Amino acid sequence: MGIKTALPAAELGLYSLVLSGALAYAGRGLLEASQDGAHRKAFRESVRPGWEYIGRKMDVADFEWVMWFTSFRNVIIFALSGHVLFAKLCTMVAPQLRSWMYAVYGALAVAGTMGPWYLLLLLGHCVGLYVVSLLGQPWLCLGVGLASLASFKLEPLISWQSGFVTGTFDLQEVLFHGGCGFTVLRCTSFALESCAHPDHRYSLADLLKYNFYLPFFFFGPIMTFDRFHAQVSQVEPVRPEGELWRIRAQAGLSVVAILAVDVFFHFFYILTIPSDLKFVNRLPDSALAGLAYSNLVYDWVKAAVLFGVVNTVARLDHLDPPQPPKCITALYVFAETHFDRGINDWLCKYVYDYIGGEHSAVIPELGATIATFAITTLWLGPCDVVYLWSCLNCFGLNFELWVQKLAELEPLAQIETSLSEQMSRRVRAVFGAMNFWAIIMYNLVSLNSPEFSELVAQRLLLSGFPQTTLAILFVTYCGVQLVKERERTLALEEEQKQDKEKLE
């Protein structure tokens, strides 16, 4: 009930006003905290000179972001520009060979960046999983794939294999783990699809073309083999109407997002402040809530920018890659929470949906989530923080189903039936607001630190109860209602579009 129900315009206007005011108030507190802490001794390592002409320093706590857009910026632009250029030439001259061009260019780029021995190491893993795929046993393919992934996550194998990398540079460890991890997932997808479609007889060349596609190689997103192979095998691909305009728009949005983050980090030190818990503990409750929320928003923006740039190149190659993750602001259910849509699709197809089925039964869902988060733990690298993050999110996903099942029982189901659709939507939004903060708290554990997450929980839920707790929940409730309204509008537009297509 209440899913497609509209609320009065005045009520939605009030929610917008409350949310805007709360965000502005929290932002002001964060700005003042950033200004006060700019010269603290604890901030010296990660708050460096920025816009000197107006006296602004910059938060450089995120090593990867800084490297992408400073020392490695020209390398990234050069490599992707070369890929686009050669892909265009090959598409014009010999379109039937474009998949080979992708593989050769990608392999040469990997060898040039990480060294030929690293390339041979990955080829060894590819050949190994290809041989296993010939046996046609899905359980064996998945098992060997996970064992291969574990070899890049656990000692002493990880130290031995990292020795295959030639040279030393800032992003070496990031590129090593990214290239190896995604290679294993792609090879496992190839093996499982080979078992699912034995009549297709995929070759080792198909696997190499799939794995060494450069835009996806180091950082993803990952496309399952069946989708990639079907799209890259088109001899004369045709762009949908308006596709080039959408590609330009996506590229423009990525540039705007990069500039916006650069400006933001000159005024808000959201990544550095959590490292000084004594300073954090002096923040007002509103600023602390804004700090926790902004840390997750930044992680989403980072993923959106990365996938936006890569997806722009992929769409120029006539591919339909996984979309960026759903904005954290629009998330109020664990079932839709993920920061990498490609890995989420991979896990859902080969593990979560396979075990959980329709995700309506408690026991199969529990088994599916445990298996999914066990593999996710291996993917992220087993450690105490990852264990805690996996347990919390596994519980959150199951707890949603338990609450849903409980709500379907009497007398709760009868109580909701007696409510109007608008009131039912309001009640559900209250639970959505609580779920929203559970998502934030559970993911802060890995994105920041357990100590910071504990401090936020203590301040907002315990020492701040009831005033701060209820105020934050009400602001979040307003945001959830606005998100629901947006979803309702999009659903209605989609229905109208489908009705129009049926009439035509």
Side-chain angles (χ1 to χ4, degrees):
M1 291 182 63
I3 302 300
K4 298 182 179 180
T5 304
L7 295 179
E11 183 177 346
L12 293 173
L14 175 63
Y15 294 154
S16 300
L17 183 62
V18 171
L19 182 61
S20 301
L23 290 175
Y25 186 70
R28 179 184 175 184
L30 275 178
L31 179 61
E32 292 176 352
S34 299
Q35 292 173 338
D36 295 340
H39 301 287
R40 287 178 63 86
K41 184 178 180 179
F43 287 13
R44 289 179 182 174
E45 292 297 323
S46 53
V47 177
R48 302 288 180 83
W51 294 340
E52 295 288 353
Y53 49 89
I54 61 172
R56 299 301 311 181
K57 293 187 176 183
M58 182 180 180
D59 190 340
V60 295
D62 189 339
F63 167 78
E64 288 184 13
W65 182 272
V66 173
M67 288 296 99
W68 288 345
F69 299 107
T70 54
S71 56
F72 277 83
R73 176 185 57 202
N74 294 336
V75 175
I76 294 172
I77 293 175
F78 177 78
L80 292 181
S81 298
H83 172 90
V84 172
L85 177 62
F86 284 108
K88 183 63 177 177
L89 290 175
C90 187
T91 301
M92 294 171 60
V93 177
Q96 70 276 10
L97 299 178
R98 68 188 185 106
S99 60
W100 275 109
M101 191 287 302
Y102 296 156
V104 172
Y105 183 88
L108 291 175
V110 171
T113 305
M114 306 293 287
W117 289 108
Y118 176 77
L119 178 63
L120 289 176
L121 171 67
L122 297 186
L123 286 173
H125 282 271
C126 290
V127 172
L129 275 162
Y130 171 73
V131 172
V132 172
S133 72
L134 297 178
L135 302 177
Q137 299 296 324
W139 63 269
L140 183 61
C141 293
L142 183 60
V144 173
L146 295 179
S148 181
L149 181 61
S151 71
F152 291 112
K153 302 296 181 179
L154 302 174
E155 295 290 354
L157 290 175
I158 183 175
S159 297
W160 175 69
Q161 293 183 102
S162 62
F164 284 84
V165 180
T166 303
T168 303
F169 50 93
D170 290 334
L171 277 180
Q172 175 178 301
E173 185 175 356
V174 176
L175 296 181
F176 172 81
H177 287 288
C180 295
F182 280 111
T183 290
V184 172
L185 292 188
R186 283 188 288 261
C187 291
T188 305
S189 175
F190 169 87
L192 292 172
E193 293 298 333
S194 296
C195 295
H197 307 284
D199 53 315
H200 286 185
R201 298 185 179 277
Y202 298 121
S203 65
L204 178 60
D206 292 324
L207 173 57
L208 298 180
K209 294 174 188 178
Y210 171 49
N211 185 61
F212 289 101
Y213 179 69
L214 183 62
F216 294 164
F217 184 80
F218 286 111
F219 299 108
I222 184 171
M223 288 178 67
T224 54
F225 174 75
D226 55 330
R227 291 185 56 206
F228 181 88
H229 183 72
Q231 295 175 26
V232 82
S233 300
Q234 297 178 12
V235 178
E236 296 182 0
V238 179
R239 295 192 188 279
E241 185 178 352
E243 177 69 5
L244 283 177
W245 183 90
R246 288 189 288 271
I247 292 175
R248 296 190 197 101
Q250 184 178 42
L253 285 175
S254 298
V255 173
V256 170
I258 293 170
L259 296 176
V261 170
D262 188 74
V263 173
F264 186 87
F265 279 162
H266 280 86
F267 293 92
F268 299 92
Y269 307 146
I270 61 170
L271 302 182
T272 296
I273 291 176
S275 64
D276 188 349
L277 295 182
K278 291 183 178 179
F279 183 73
V280 171
N281 205 29
R282 297 204 300 266
L283 295 177
D285 291 341
S286 59
L288 182 59
L291 180 63
Y293 166 72
S294 59
N295 266 258
L296 262 74
V297 171
Y298 166 69
D299 196 74
W300 169 79
V301 171
K302 180 180 175 181
V305 168
L306 173 62
F307 294 154
V309 172
V310 170
N311 286 1
T312 298
V313 177
R315 290 169 69 183
L316 286 173
D317 293 336
H318 301 275
L319 298 180
D320 182 21
Q323 296 303 304
K326 191 174 182 180
C327 180
I328 183 65
T329 304
L331 292 177
Y332 53 89
V333 290
F334 278 91
E336 297 180 0
T337 303
H338 53 264
F339 295 91
D340 187 322
R341 198 181 295 269
I343 293 177
N344 180 75
D345 292 346
W346 191 98
L347 288 169
C348 285
K349 181 171 185 178
Y350 299 124
V351 183
Y352 184 57
D353 291 342
Y354 181 81
I355 299 175
E358 297 295 326
H359 305 292
S360 57
V362 173
I363 300 302
E365 178 70 3
L366 180 61
T369 53
I370 290 176
T372 300
F373 279 102
I375 295 175
T376 305
T377 299
L378 182 61
W379 164 257
L380 295 174
C383 64
D384 291 343
V385 172
V386 175
Y387 293 148
L388 178 59
W389 174 86
S390 293
C391 290
L392 290 173
N393 282 273
C394 184
F395 167 77
L397 193 56
N398 281 280
F399 187 70
E400 279 184 349
L401 180 61
W402 301 342
V403 172
Q404 179 184 341
K405 291 296 183 182
L406 184 63
E408 293 174 356
L409 301 176
E410 299 295 343
L412 295 178
Q414 186 175 0
I415 293 175
E416 185 177 15
T417 304
S418 66
L419 299 176
S420 66
E421 291 190 349
Q422 290 184 342
M423 186 56 66
S424 175
R425 169 173 163 171
R426 296 185 184 104
V427 171
R428 287 174 176 266
V430 171
F431 287 97
M434 292 187 286
N435 221 29
F436 179 87
W437 275 99
I439 292 172
I440 289 181
M441 297 305 302
Y442 291 176
N443 286 281
L444 271 181
V445 170
S446 63
L447 295 179
N448 205 288
S449 70
E451 294 78 15
F452 175 66
S453 304
E454 182 181 359
L455 189 150
V456 173
Q458 183 179 8
R459 284 278 304 277
L460 300 185
L461 300 179
L462 299 179
S463 60
F465 186 84
Q467 291 90 344
T468 298
T469 307
L470 295 178
I472 290 175
L473 283 179
F474 177 66
V475 172
T476 309
Y477 164 84
C478 295
V480 170
Q481 286 289 23
L482 295 175
V483 171
K484 282 179 172 286
E485 185 63 23
R486 175 62 177 166
E487 292 175 347
R488 187 190 69 85
T489 303
L490 291 176
L492 289 177
E493 290 177 354
E494 184 64 25
E495 287 182 2
Q496 292 174 357
K497 181 180 178 181
Q498 292 177 357
D499 292 340
K500 184 177 179 181
E501 290 177 352
K502 290 179 180 178
L503 292 175
E504 293 177 351

